[in-house]
Amino acid sequence: MHETTHPVLRPQPPGTGHHDPGARPPDTGRQRPGPRTPAADRPGPDARPPAAGRPEQDARPPVTGHRRPPGARATAGRRGFEARAAVGTESSGGRTVLGTLRSDPPLTLRQTGPDTVHLVSTAAGPLGGDRLTLEIDVAPGTRLTIASVASTLVLPGDGESVMVVRARVGAGATLVYAPEPTVLAAGCDHRMIVGLTLAEGASVSWREEIAFGRYGEPPGRCHARFDATIDGVPLLRQDFVVGDPAADGSPAVYGDARCVGNILLTGPAFARPQAATASRPGEPALTPPAAGAASPSSGAEGSGAVLAEGCAVLPLAGPGTLISALAPDAPTLRSRLTWGAAQATAPFEDGD
């Protein structure tokens, strides 16, 4: 747009009547005496032609620094990630193939076997403000195993971080979900949401492990929610909180434990109504209630329930078993969960 100002009308010297449409007026208050350089000799359209013998006015106000819009908030930190990754199986000639494998950093998926996928973290976190979603779809009659190459370290940031996992398992399909532990760094505020939907006849082994902070530090806060249904009927509804001082140090909740974990086993591939009693070689003996080392809860006798040091194997009302464990460290937690899973899936003993 061509804009001309005329503060004072006065005769102009010869040769100054030409105006370049691309010219920019100089800064307010500057004066450049003398005849103007002809347009042909100017270096380009950014040259600013002065009017001889008079002050020039800049039509644009001077820049005084970056100004945020009203109501904007200064943010020195990073913006939260919103990432969605997905994995899905298909049946091809009686074999399982991965029909869907979509990554979205920091959630990166790598196929490591015919029906195995590993989660590879390609960025730090989750950090406060991140929202990560993993979609799992196991087609009927197929099998999928999901693991991770390392633990997940949840870090503090601007707001709450959220990790959502939604899994659908078709009839006759098997899903094994067994990532490494989630570590709650001091100061984090994290939410874990799992939604597991199974068709009739589906089998699932689902493991979750949470470590209360890194070595020598208090844990951040985490609210974990787990919902599982079979053919539309609720199988397990569970939620717990880590990082609440009233609960963390209570002998009725976590006591002096630094790690908590669960394994859900359900479906024909993991059916076991009666617990065995023997510990695996090389592992600490966890004596079931029959030997008097622990007291069964009401109605546990003959139900297949096992309560032992730091570990409980509890049959669910539906077709499944929940193994829960507490431990002072991650290796001990893994050992107790593995032992509990072995009890839940061991063959019947003579006389059972």
Side-chain angles (χ1 to χ4, degrees):
M1 179 179 69
H2 177 59
E3 183 176 333
T4 306
T5 59
H6 298 283
V8 179
L9 295 177
R10 65 181 65 182
Q12 301 296 316
T16 60
H18 173 72
H19 182 75
D20 184 352
R24 294 185 301 176
D27 295 336
T28 303
R30 295 181 59 188
Q31 187 172 356
R32 300 172 64 184
R36 188 184 60 175
T37 303
D41 296 334
R42 293 199 303 270
D46 288 336
R48 295 181 290 182
R54 67 179 176 86
E56 298 179 279
Q57 294 183 353
D58 195 338
R60 299 172 301 172
V63 177
T64 58
H66 176 69
R67 299 173 62 189
R68 294 189 302 274
R73 181 172 61 90
T75 302
R78 63 188 278 282
R79 294 181 61 187
F81 278 110
E82 183 159 352
R84 291 179 175 272
V87 55
T89 64
E90 297 177 358
S91 180
S92 177
R95 298 183 303 108
T96 297
V97 296
L98 297 182
T100 301
L101 191 64
R102 185 177 71 247
S103 297
D104 193 3
L107 293 176
T108 302
L109 301 170
R110 294 287 183 264
Q111 184 174 1
T112 53
D115 53 22
T116 302
V117 170
H118 274 76
L119 275 165
V120 180
S121 181
T122 50
L127 283 75
D130 290 354
R131 184 178 179 89
L132 312 180
T133 302
L134 175 61
E135 301 278 356
I136 304 169
D137 199 341
V138 188
T142 63
R143 178 181 176 87
L144 177 64
T145 297
I146 298 180
S148 62
V149 299
S151 298
T152 298
L153 178 62
V154 184
L155 297 169
D158 187 9
E160 179 188 59
S161 57
V162 181
M163 178 67 189
V164 180
V165 182
R166 287 190 285 261
R168 295 167 293 276
V169 187
T174 300
L175 170 63
V176 177
Y177 185 82
E180 296 303 305
T182 296
V183 181
L184 305 175
C188 75
D189 185 7
H190 188 53
R191 191 152 49 101
M192 299 169 59
I193 302 171
V194 175
L196 180 59
T197 304
L198 292 81
E200 189 70 32
S203 297
V204 169
S205 171
W206 192 283
R207 186 181 74 207
E208 285 185 347
E209 298 171 329
I210 297 177
F212 300 175
R214 292 168 290 193
Y215 180 78
E217 73 174 6
R221 182 177 175 84
C222 176
H223 181 192
R225 173 73 183 184
F226 188 96
D227 291 286
T229 61
I230 297 180
D231 202 24
V233 178
L235 173 66
L236 177 63
R237 299 277 195 258
Q238 176 174 271
D239 68 294
F240 60 90
V241 174
V242 177
D244 182 351
D248 289 358
S250 170
V253 186
Y254 301 126
D256 59 355
R258 293 281 299 171
C259 299
V260 62
N262 297 284
I263 295 179
L264 172 65
L265 300 175
T266 185
F270 306 106
R272 170 64 172 111
Q274 177 70 35
T277 60
S279 297
R280 299 193 311 165
E283 291 187 352
L286 301 178
T287 309
S295 299
S297 59
S298 178
E301 297 91 340
S303 67
V306 176
L307 305 181
E309 182 184 357
C311 184
V313 182
L314 303 174
L316 301 174
T321 302
L322 179 66
I323 299 99
S324 299
L326 295 168
D329 52 57
T332 304
L333 177 69
R334 179 69 58 84
S335 176
R336 289 176 175 177
L337 289 173
T338 302
W339 179 88
Q343 307 306 301
T345 57
F348 282 103
E349 294 184 335
D350 293 340
D352 283 349

